[in-house]
């Protein structure tokens, strides 16, 4: 199976090369040449497997240059019971016809773990397969969750180092503690005086500095990124939709072949695109509900056919969905309209900040997707209602999805069961969850963990428990001008 760019078909490379390279040279994203199919026999086999086996099975269909044995070994260590004590992707039944897919039982309590636990292993193997002798240095600017999930995923992976920058006053106390106490021999964490933009601009500058790259190269190091447009992050996300479908069959909630709907709380469009690929493979999914918060650019796009990023940006209590450019949407446009049309839309987006898709494409999008959004007040109400009525604690992102799913089901009462992706532990956003239920603001974020646990009777998950008692390993706070020299010291130092 070869990989090609969403903006032109000339470059054809292996999966290992696509994962090592990240982005195509023409600025497009890599996609497999064709989508492998799952038939009912395959599904029956998958039903008998454990999560790591299912993951290796699905990944081996896409990453044909990796051996099944290698993939199985990596999946077994990535999704082990030790790292995912609550199961890799368990389902919680909500009412009669809704099923919440909990994607946050990993080592940082966020759904990014589902991809970032396995992707570094895929990269490490890609380096070996492509004869790369240099060390890959992953640079990340983070406003919180991605940084920690990336650190935990890349820690002690062979052939790789990782360095994370975060704005000193731009992340929560819990997030700061999570990063400052990070374990691993190949990791480094650095706070930047400034905001997230300063950190991100600093990282981008380093990435585009060719003299800097040459210097690292002479020292046997090259730069790489961990962001969500890499196919190595997307492919592992297809697995949990297939796995959830198998679990629903195994528990007798659906019969094999029964159509289900899926709702996904969406930001960069990676998670919901993975569900779309699962559908394309043949998983019996009817509709994909794209749930947005107050930053409802995708709701408008699906309704009008116009994507327009020239609009206000809102900071909400579901910050991982506060996004105006959903990068992975490009992959969907490509699957539905081809590379020429996609390249033209992306050019318009770059130049004018907006584009309008053809009527034909708009119709095709509407055949698969429904867009809904949920404002801050409704998000808080949903957290409270789900806790009081269903005795189930959900985080702010999941609440957006539950609210949108319910509204979709009211408008379409055809009895189709709904799978809802839950993307963060409620304890990751404990203060907002606690306030939504009680109306009271906890004293601070650390006490919010305790108070929420007392209120709900649900234990604080292991990645967040005792977070204030762990050894602080990284205390450095630097100016953004000092970033290049710090990167160099870390890259070439050890
Ligand atoms: C990243 C993230 C999302 C958005 O997922 P996309 O794949 O970017 O659409 C939603 N919720 C949480 C908690 C996240 O961390």
């Amino acid at each position: 199976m070869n990989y090609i760019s969403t903006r032109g078909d000339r470059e054809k490379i292996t999966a290992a090369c696509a994962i090592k390279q990240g982005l195509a040279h023409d600025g497009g994203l890599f996609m497999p040449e064709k989508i492998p199919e799952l038939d009912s026999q395959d599904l029956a086999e998958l039903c008998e497997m454990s999560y790591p086996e299912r993951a290796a099975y699905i990944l081996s269909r896409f990453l044909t240059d990796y051996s099944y044995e290698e993939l199985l070994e990596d999946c077994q260590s990535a999704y082990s019971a030790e790292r995912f004590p609550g199961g890799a992707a368990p389902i919680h039944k909500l009412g009669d016809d809704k099923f919440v897919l909990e994607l946050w039982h990993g080592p940082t309590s966020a759904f990014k773990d589902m991809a970032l636990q396995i992707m570094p292993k895929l990269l490490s193997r890609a380096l070996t397969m492509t004869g790369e002798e240099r060390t890959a240095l992953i640079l990340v600017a983070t406003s919180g969750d991605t940084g920690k999930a990336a650190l935990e995923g890349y820690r002690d992976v062979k052939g790789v180092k990782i360095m994370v920058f975060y704005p000193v006053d731009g992340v929560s106390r819990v997030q700061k503690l999570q990063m400052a106490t990070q374990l691993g021999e190949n990791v480094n964490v650095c706070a930047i005086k400034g905001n997230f933009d300063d950190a991100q601009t600093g990282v981008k500058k380093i990435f585009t500095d060719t003299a800097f790259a040459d210097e690292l190269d002479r020292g046997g190091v090259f730069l790489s990124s961990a962001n969500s447009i890499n196919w190595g992050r997307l492919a592992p996300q297809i697995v949990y939709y297939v796995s959830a479908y198998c679990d629903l069959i195994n528990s007798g909630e659906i019969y094999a072949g029964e159509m289900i709907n899926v709702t996904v709380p969406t930001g960069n469009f990676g998670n919901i695109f993975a569900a779309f690929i699962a559908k394309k493979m043949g998983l019996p999914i009817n509709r994909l509900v794209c749930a947005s918060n107050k930053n409802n650019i995708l709701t408008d796009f699906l309704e009008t056919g116009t994507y327009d990023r020239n609009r206000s940006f809102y900071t909400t209590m579901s910050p991982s969905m506060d996004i105006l450019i959903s990068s992975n949407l490009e992959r969907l446009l490509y699957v539905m309209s081809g590379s020429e049309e996609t390249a033209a839309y992306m050019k318009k987006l770059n130049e004018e900040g907006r584009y309008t898709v053809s009527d034909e494409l708009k119709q095709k999008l509407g055949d698969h997707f429904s867009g809904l959004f949920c404002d801050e007040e409704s998000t808080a109400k949903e957290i409270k209602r789900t806790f009081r009525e269903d005795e189930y604690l959900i985080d702010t992102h999941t609440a957006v999805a539950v609210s949108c799913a319910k509204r979709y089901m009211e408008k379409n009462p055809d009895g189709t069961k709904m799978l809802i992706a839950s993307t963060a532990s409620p304890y990751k956003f404990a203060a907002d969850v606690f306030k939504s239920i009680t109306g009271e603001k906890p004293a601070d974020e650390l006490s919010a963990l305790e108070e929420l646990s007392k209120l709900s009777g649900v234990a604080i998950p292991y990645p967040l428990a005792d977070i204030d008692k762990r050894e602080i390993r990284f205390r450095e706070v630097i100016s953004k001008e000092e970033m290049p020299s710090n990167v160099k010291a870390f890259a070439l130092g050890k």
Side-chain angles (χ1 to χ4, degrees):
M1 170 99 65
N2 280 312
Y3 284 74
I4 49 183
S5 165
T6 50
R7 298 190 194 175
D9 301 338
R10 263 160 297 169
E11 209 179 340
K12 272 193 190 179
I13 60 174
T14 61
C17 287
I19 288 169
K20 179 174 151 191
Q21 199 176 314
L23 205 64
H25 291 303
D26 59 7
L29 313 189
F30 284 117
M31 276 295 290
E33 252 174 332
K34 56 178 198 297
I35 309 293
E37 275 173 36
L38 281 182
D39 59 25
S40 53
Q41 182 59 40
D42 297 331
L43 265 182
E45 278 175 39
L46 281 156
C47 280
E48 304 297 315
M49 297 180 191
S50 66
Y51 191 90
E53 288 167 342
R54 288 172 184 166
Y57 183 100
I58 301 289
L59 288 176
S60 70
R61 294 292 191 90
F62 286 96
L63 314 179
T64 50
D65 45 340
Y66 291 68
S67 78
Y68 176 77
E69 289 70 30
E70 285 172 347
L71 290 171
L72 185 61
E73 186 188 328
D74 288 347
C75 291
Q76 272 166 344
S77 74
Y79 301 113
S80 67
E82 192 189 12
R83 286 176 192 235
F84 288 80
I91 291 175
H92 179 94
K93 188 172 179 180
L94 199 62
D96 295 330
D97 47 7
K98 291 181 287 298
F99 300 88
V100 181
L101 178 59
E102 297 180 345
L103 301 173
W104 39 261
H105 289 278
T108 78
S109 300
F111 109 98
K112 304 272 187 300
D113 290 334
M114 297 303 296
L116 280 167
Q117 281 298 301
I118 182 82
M119 148 128 170
K121 299 178 197 295
L122 300 176
L123 173 65
S124 181
R125 290 205 192 269
L127 298 180
T128 311
M129 279 193 257
T130 57
E132 180 61 66
E133 284 170 358
R134 296 170 299 171
T135 300
L137 173 59
I138 311 288
L139 288 188
V140 181
T142 184
S143 53
D145 284 353
T146 304
K148 176 63 187 180
L151 283 164
E152 203 46 59
Y154 284 91
R155 103 182 215 207
D156 297 328
V157 170
K158 205 174 117 240
V160 189
K161 286 182 170 184
I162 177 165
M163 185 157 189
V164 169
F165 295 98
Y166 70 88
V168 66
D169 295 318
V171 304
S172 75
R173 192 163 159 217
V174 170
Q175 287 172 326
K176 205 178 278 187
L177 277 171
Q178 273 194 301
M179 288 190 274
T181 57
Q182 177 65 43
L183 299 173
E185 290 306 311
N186 62 338
V187 305
N188 196 0
V189 176
C190 207
I192 299 295
K193 291 174 209 155
N195 55 27
F196 172 63
D197 267 344
D198 294 318
Q200 191 166 43
T201 310
V203 165
K204 274 192 187 155
K205 255 196 193 151
I206 294 172
F207 267 113
T208 51
D209 184 341
T210 50
F212 190 85
D214 288 343
E215 205 180 332
L216 289 191
D217 186 54
R218 285 194 294 276
V221 176
F222 74 101
L223 296 175
S224 184
S225 81
N227 56 27
S228 73
I229 52 186
N230 193 306
W231 182 255
R233 262 186 77 173
L234 218 133
Q237 299 189 264
I238 302 165
V239 176
Y240 46 75
Y241 291 107
V242 178
S243 179
Y245 192 86
C246 292
D247 287 345
L248 289 174
I249 295 176
N250 286 348
S251 60
E253 296 291 355
I254 59 171
Y255 58 85
E258 182 173 340
M259 281 287 173
I260 60 166
N261 292 325
V262 177
T263 300
V264 183
T266 297
N268 219 0
F269 212 78
N271 200 0
I272 195 167
F273 183 72
F276 173 74
I277 294 292
K279 177 176 184 186
K280 273 277 189 201
M281 290 178 83
L283 196 70
I285 294 174
N286 174 39
R287 284 202 85 71
L288 296 158
V289 178
C290 175
S292 301
N293 65 21
K294 197 176 170 193
N295 294 293
N296 58 352
I297 187 165
L298 288 166
T299 320
D300 286 351
F301 172 62
L302 289 168
E303 187 166 325
T304 66
T306 296
Y307 193 94
D308 191 350
R309 73 159 198 235
N310 305 304
R311 55 164 69 214
S312 308
F313 175 83
Y314 301 103
T315 303
T316 72
M317 59 176 149
S318 45
S320 299
M321 295 157 72
D322 292 345
I323 274 176
L324 289 185
I325 298 204
S326 294
S327 316
N328 275 298
L329 186 58
E330 177 168 349
R331 287 195 160 106
L332 181 64
L333 301 181
Y334 166 77
V335 173
M336 289 187 169
S337 72
S339 59
E340 216 171 294
E341 212 173 304
T342 302
Y345 294 140
M346 290 304 115
K347 188 159 178 278
K348 276 206 130 204
L349 181 64
N350 245 331
E351 286 166 3
E352 298 162 35
R354 70 196 297 274
Y355 60 87
T356 301
V357 298
S358 67
D359 286 343
E360 196 194 336
L361 177 50
K362 179 170 179 273
Q363 170 114 36
K364 276 190 194 169
L365 290 165
D367 287 343
H368 298 271
F369 291 87
S370 297
L372 279 90
F373 79 99
C374 177
D375 63 19
E376 293 289 273
E377 194 189 331
S378 305
T379 305
K381 272 192 189 148
E382 194 58 59
I383 292 171
K384 185 172 178 176
R385 185 183 312 136
T386 304
F387 180 67
R388 295 281 181 224
E389 290 172 18
D390 301 304
E391 297 177 11
Y392 183 54
L393 201 58
I394 54 175
D395 93 293
T396 48
H397 303 75
T398 307
V400 167
V402 170
S403 170
C404 291
K406 284 184 178 169
R407 251 179 298 139
Y408 176 85
M409 292 168 88
E410 273 160 27
K411 269 189 270 172
N412 302 274
D414 57 7
T416 308
K417 286 165 187 136
M418 181 68 86
L419 184 71
I420 302 171
S422 173
T423 49
S425 155
Y427 285 96
K428 261 232 107 158
F429 300 92
D432 281 321
V433 170
F434 185 82
K435 182 161 177 262
S436 298
I437 294 172
T438 62
E440 287 162 36
K441 220 176 140 79
D444 69 59
E445 256 204 87
L446 275 177
S447 57
L449 292 173
E450 298 292 339
E451 289 190 55
L452 188 60
S453 184
K454 241 183 268 160
L455 175 76
S456 66
V458 178
I460 301 172
Y462 84 96
L464 297 170
D466 302 326
I467 182 91
D468 51 332
K469 294 181 189 73
R470 294 180 206 165
E471 184 202 349
I472 306 268
R473 296 186 65 207
F474 303 100
R475 299 174 187 278
E476 210 167 4
V477 184
I478 63 169
S479 69
K480 61 177 191 271
E481 288 74 23
E482 293 170 285
M483 285 170 69
S485 58
N486 265 49
V487 170
K488 212 179 295 173
F490 177 61
L492 307 176
K494 291 183 213 167

